[in-house]
Amino acid sequence: MFAFFRKIPPRQRAGYWFILPCLAVTTVFFLVPLLMTVWMSLNQWPLLGQPSFAGLQNYLDLLQDKSFWSSLGFTATYTLVVTPAIFLFAFGLALLVHRKVRFVGVFRTAFFLPVVIGMTSASLLWTWMFNDQVGIFSAVLMDLGVIDEPVLWLGETSSALASIVVMVLWKAAGFTMVILLVGMQAIPQDLYEAAKLDGATWWGQIRYITVPLMRRTFALALTMSVIGSFLAFEQFFVMTRGGPFNSTITIVHWIYRASFTYFKLGYGAAMSVVLLLILLALSVLQMYLLRDGND
């Protein structure tokens, strides 16, 4: 290693020293835990006691685990519902705050403000608002005459997922809005001015200028949203505890239960590795489908 550094010219050697802290942090907090998780997945690893090598047995058990496939299916359903909702809502917000109008900075701050609230705190807040006895949603709807009695928003299978999607939409749309806003601001204004001279409408500018030139930004926003949706845990753990009737257990929630409720750390590690591979495949697929002509 030291012989390798001695062969590098002094000016180039300085660049390696600059990236060394980042490389060290990545190694300690990502590579080492990743390798440890892979090794744990190949063992029967109890919380107490000595682990024993099991080979691929944990991965073979996944094929017959109905709870794993059920949680994975629910997570995929949740991702397919919440990702387009966040993206479309955030894109609309980005279009609003992209315009140079009075107090636009105030609106940007207001739309982004929910992002700084922790997911657990936001989940507790919305759990109170969805409460059928003291929550404001049922009370307001009853005062307006829309419903006759309080609704168990988080206690019914049909409404629990929709309720959490609404909360996540409020919580996460501001972050996606900022990403899309940066992409919009990177588009030269000359293109819009030329389009106006040619008689392009507002919708025509969005369709033929904004959307095509933001494909890479869309890819980034959608990839981060999909990853965040597949890793969803706090909102379901706090708001529904996986209920009603275990209908809202996500894959991360099931990994948590297997690891820290049933004390099967090796099995939980195997599920984590499978989840990592799924996220990697989805990210590569999204980047490929949303690539532009220069890629």
Side-chain angles (χ1 to χ4, degrees):
M1 178 66 68
F2 292 103
F4 170 76
F5 274 100
R6 282 197 295 267
K7 295 179 181 180
I8 301 175
R11 296 187 62 181
Q12 296 183 13
R13 194 181 306 165
Y16 286 95
W17 285 112
F18 279 117
I19 68 172
L20 185 60
C22 182
L23 182 62
V25 171
T26 303
T27 301
V28 172
F29 294 102
F30 178 74
L31 294 180
V32 172
L34 176 61
L35 294 176
M36 185 63 182
T37 301
V38 174
W39 172 244
M40 289 179 63
S41 70
L42 300 176
N43 290 266
Q44 296 294 344
W45 201 294
L47 185 63
L48 299 175
Q50 294 296 325
S52 58
F53 185 75
L56 298 177
Q57 186 59 46
N58 287 323
Y59 294 96
L60 295 177
D61 292 342
L62 288 178
L63 300 177
Q64 301 177 352
D65 188 352
K66 294 182 180 180
S67 297
F68 169 76
W69 293 108
S70 176
S71 61
L72 183 61
F74 172 75
T75 304
T77 301
Y78 167 74
T79 301
L80 291 174
V81 172
V82 76
T83 298
I86 291 176
F87 180 81
L88 293 176
F89 187 56
F91 187 68
L93 293 179
L95 289 175
L96 289 176
V97 299
H98 179 57
R99 303 175 61 184
K100 295 181 179 180
V101 296
R102 195 175 183 181
F103 302 119
V104 66
V106 176
F107 290 106
R108 290 176 181 175
T109 303
F111 294 152
F112 183 77
L113 196 58
V115 178
V116 303
I117 302 176
M119 181 61 77
T120 302
S121 300
S123 300
L124 289 172
L125 173 64
W126 281 74
T127 299
W128 168 75
M129 291 194 294
F130 279 125
N131 188 277
D132 60 310
Q133 299 298 323
V134 297
I136 63 174
F137 290 138
S138 293
V140 170
L141 293 177
M142 290 178 63
D143 291 341
L144 295 176
V146 178
I147 58 177
D148 297 326
E149 58 184 11
V151 177
L152 295 173
W153 300 102
L154 301 176
E156 299 291 340
T157 304
S158 57
S159 59
L161 176 59
S163 301
I164 293 180
V165 168
V166 171
M167 187 279 292
V168 174
L169 183 63
W170 169 83
K171 171 73 174 65
F175 180 75
T176 305
M177 177 202 71
V178 171
I179 296 176
L180 298 178
L181 181 61
V182 171
M184 289 181 183
Q185 293 177 341
I187 300 176
Q189 292 298 317
D190 297 342
L191 297 177
Y192 292 106
E193 295 176 359
K196 290 179 181 179
L197 293 176
D198 292 337
T201 61
W202 175 83
W203 172 246
Q205 297 175 39
I206 299 297
R207 180 179 179 183
Y208 296 107
I209 298 178
T210 305
V211 173
L213 294 179
M214 289 185 61
R215 293 178 67 90
R216 293 185 178 181
T217 306
F218 290 163
L220 174 62
L222 288 174
T223 300
M224 296 184 67
S225 181
V226 167
I227 292 175
S229 299
F230 258 89
L231 297 178
F233 172 70
E234 296 100 319
Q235 57 267 44
F236 292 97
F237 185 78
V238 173
M239 297 180 70
T240 65
R241 295 284 179 175
F245 309 110
N246 293 328
S247 60
T248 59
I249 296 181
T250 62
I251 181 63
V252 177
H253 194 171
W254 180 239
I255 293 174
Y256 170 82
R257 283 192 177 184
S259 300
F260 302 108
T261 301
Y262 306 124
F263 305 126
K264 297 180 179 179
L265 299 182
Y267 188 61
M271 287 190 286
S272 300
V273 172
V274 172
L275 178 59
L276 175 63
L277 295 177
I278 292 174
L279 293 177
L280 180 62
L282 289 175
S283 299
V284 172
L285 179 61
Q286 288 183 98
M287 290 297 183
Y288 174 78
L289 294 177
L290 294 173
R291 71 191 189 283
D292 56 30
N294 296 324
D295 293 337

